[in-house]
Amino acid sequence: MKYHAGRRVWVAATAAVMALTASGCGSGAGDSDGKITLTVTTQVDYGYRDLYKEYEKSHPGIKIREVLVDDLPKKLVTQLAANRGASDVVGLGDDTIGKFIPSHQRFVNLADHGVNNTDDPWVQWAYDYGTVENGKYVLGLRTDLGGLGICYRTDLFKKAGLPTDPEQVGQLWPTWAKFTETGDTFRSKVKDASFTANTGDIWVGMENQHKETFFAESDDSFMADRNTSLKQDFLTAANMSVRKVSGGYPPFTPEMANALKTGKAATAVCPAWKLDRTKEASGADNSGTWSVAAAPQGGNWGGSYLLVPKQTKHTKEAVELARWLTSSKVQKRLFLSKGYLSSHPSVYNDPAVQAKKDAYFSDAPTGKIFADAVDKMEPIYRGTKDSDVATAFMNALLRVEQGKQKPEDAWNQAVSDAKKVAGD
């Protein structure tokens, strides 16, 4: 099972994603009619389509082609090695950009084009993670943040005798251990629904709350085997399966979507970008049935960067487009219209953003919940092979959910499998 910590789409949308890839890619592809064509390739939909049209209208010499590629990081590695085929702008998740730090010189240094963190500042940790060479080389521009929340069904909470107000619900679980205990209480009252959809999403939320996870910040060495707090979180997540708190519906699958829609799962981990996916999965008929509360211990899951490969024939124009798409002005509009949380503090602290509520989620104060989740978090270190080894731990949790392994054994095998991938 392959899993990405950045934004993902429901499997049902795969056909549409792959259809879009057929439009082709490559820098400057299709320049015609005196216009410059800029190709922007991302792994999933960033919500930019209306923005592209707006940009084309205000820049009549520019045409933008959007391409979605399901396994973009793998394809980009090949394109960089061949020195051809990369798009003018590429989007990489915060879990995969580290893979390209060793080859960062194949991308434009955006600092050479006036990018800094002074004029329109991003939150510092998010900006820094897109830089190398002690901040002198700006590799990528941060798009959104994935402030953590928990989506929950108010009808099932009522059935279990639990509160339904977002603030009161958030107080039920200041820690993941308390989240599990709440799940035990729920399951004692409600027999025909799991408390949470799966442990995979729980685990991603947990690991994103650590300053270091699989690799050490000091030397990028593999450290999961000596990261005792990470192991404890893994065991906490795995034991949700043992205690039948988790329903074991695999993340981003039709099975999980159906569980959300039919009330077979009472909660799901919801970073900001996932609200629209949850609405899509659960369906319009469930509007007002769902709400959102703060996640245990806050934190971030997801967010991406826009990079400009040096292969582009239109460096100036590509940088200008990437900078506009990641500006605070545009990011504020994206949150208010689509729910993508801005990586600019000036935006997520903006009164209009803080006051944002979502009618589908029972008018929960989503703006404040997500902003609070990321505002005080510490930066996370991700190794250059972070996304490669993460799969071993997701597979381990799946084995526990399927009853094939006990939590401790699953952890030990995950560490062993991850070491092989890490070359340790």
Side-chain angles (χ1 to χ4, degrees):
M1 176 181 178
K2 190 168 184 180
Y3 193 83
H4 300 274
R7 292 189 203 141
R8 297 296 292 155
V9 291
W10 298 103
V11 170
T14 299
V17 171
M18 297 310 295
L20 281 168
T21 68
S23 62
C25 60
S27 63
D31 288 1
S32 61
D33 301 326
K35 290 187 176 183
I36 291 174
T37 298
L38 298 176
T39 301
V40 182
T41 299
T42 60
Q43 191 158 332
V44 294
D45 181 8
Y46 281 20
Y48 287 166
R49 287 170 193 165
D50 290 340
L51 294 174
Y52 291 150
K53 294 175 184 178
E54 178 183 334
Y55 195 82
E56 288 174 338
K57 187 174 181 179
S58 62
H59 296 72
I62 299 291
K63 179 181 178 182
I64 301 171
R65 173 181 294 148
E66 179 185 47
V67 179
L68 304 184
V69 176
D70 187 51
D71 199 353
L72 175 58
K74 181 179 180 180
K75 185 169 185 178
L76 185 57
V77 167
T78 302
Q79 293 168 335
L80 294 179
N83 199 32
R84 63 184 177 86
S87 295
D88 302 283
V89 178
V90 295
L92 294 174
D94 66 350
D95 60 324
T96 56
I97 188 175
K99 183 190 294 285
F100 296 91
I101 288 177
S103 57
H104 68 270
Q105 292 187 348
R106 294 182 180 271
F107 297 90
V108 173
N109 181 2
L110 301 172
D112 292 340
H113 295 265
V115 172
N116 55 59
N117 205 32
T118 302
D119 298 337
D120 187 19
W122 291 265
V123 63
Q124 192 64 48
W125 63 263
Y127 174 81
D128 289 344
Y129 196 68
T131 70
V132 291
E133 298 181 6
N134 294 319
K136 296 178 181 178
Y137 206 106
V138 180
L139 176 62
L141 302 179
R142 184 77 179 208
T143 60
D144 61 325
L145 300 176
L148 276 181
I150 300 290
C151 294
Y152 62 96
R153 288 191 62 129
T154 57
D155 55 343
L156 294 179
F157 270 46
K158 287 177 182 177
K159 189 174 180 180
L162 295 172
T164 58
D165 174 75
E167 185 173 354
Q168 293 178 331
V169 169
Q171 291 172 356
L172 292 173
W173 50 58
T175 65
W176 289 107
K178 289 293 185 181
F179 183 85
T180 305
E181 290 178 13
T182 304
D184 289 335
T185 299
F186 177 90
R187 291 287 293 139
S188 70
K189 302 289 182 62
V190 181
K191 306 299 184 181
D192 57 349
S194 65
F195 179 63
T196 196
N198 59 68
T199 57
D201 285 348
I202 298 288
W203 166 245
V204 174
M206 288 175 161
E207 59 148 311
N208 276 291
Q209 294 171 331
H210 290 260
K211 186 175 182 181
E212 295 174 305
T213 53
F214 308 124
F215 296 91
E217 186 174 8
S218 59
D219 58 3
D220 201 36
S221 62
F222 183 76
M223 67 166 289
D225 53 345
R226 60 184 189 272
N227 192 336
T228 56
S229 61
L230 186 71
K231 178 181 179 180
Q232 184 55 57
D233 276 350
F234 178 91
L235 295 178
T236 296
N239 277 305
M240 290 183 194
S241 295
V242 176
R243 293 160 71 161
K244 305 301 181 183
V245 169
S246 166
Y249 303 106
F252 302 99
T253 61
E255 291 83 1
M256 178 176 171
N258 184 64
L260 300 182
K261 185 174 184 177
T262 60
K264 294 299 182 182
T267 71
V269 178
C270 283
W273 52 266
K274 201 175 174 186
L275 286 191
D276 275 355
R277 274 85 170 164
T278 303
K279 293 177 189 177
E280 177 186 336
S282 190
D285 290 345
N286 282 320
S287 178
T289 299
W290 286 94
S291 190
V292 184
Q297 302 162 220
N300 182 78
W301 169 9
S304 302
Y305 289 86
L306 297 184
L307 299 80
V308 178
K310 283 186 177 178
Q311 295 176 27
T312 180
K313 298 176 182 177
H314 307 296
T315 301
K316 178 177 179 293
E317 291 81 4
V319 172
E320 287 178 352
L321 174 60
R323 185 66 189 92
W324 184 78
L325 289 169
T326 58
S327 67
S328 59
K329 177 181 178 181
V330 170
Q331 286 197 4
K332 179 178 178 179
R333 289 164 50 196
L334 270 175
F335 178 76
L336 294 176
S337 62
K338 297 182 179 295
Y340 295 137
L341 184 67
S342 173
S343 52
H344 294 269
S346 63
V347 176
Y348 65 69
N349 287 319
D350 185 286
V353 171
Q354 290 269 325
K356 178 74 163 59
K357 296 183 178 181
D358 194 307
Y360 186 94
F361 291 94
S362 306
D363 284 326
T366 52
K368 188 175 189 312
I369 289 171
F370 294 133
D372 287 350
V374 301
D375 193 38
K376 297 179 180 178
M377 66 170 286
E378 293 185 4
I380 302 166
Y381 177 74
R382 296 192 184 280
T384 54
K385 294 184 178 180
D386 191 274
S387 61
D388 297 325
V389 305
T391 302
F393 295 88
M394 292 297 298
N395 288 341
L397 286 171
L398 183 61
R399 291 193 297 273
V400 177
E401 286 194 322
Q402 294 173 340
K404 296 179 179 179
Q405 234 172 1
K406 294 180 179 180
E408 187 80 28
D409 294 334
W411 168 263
N412 291 336
Q413 183 177 333
V415 168
S416 178
D417 292 345
K419 280 184 173 181
K420 295 174 184 176
V421 176
D424 190 65

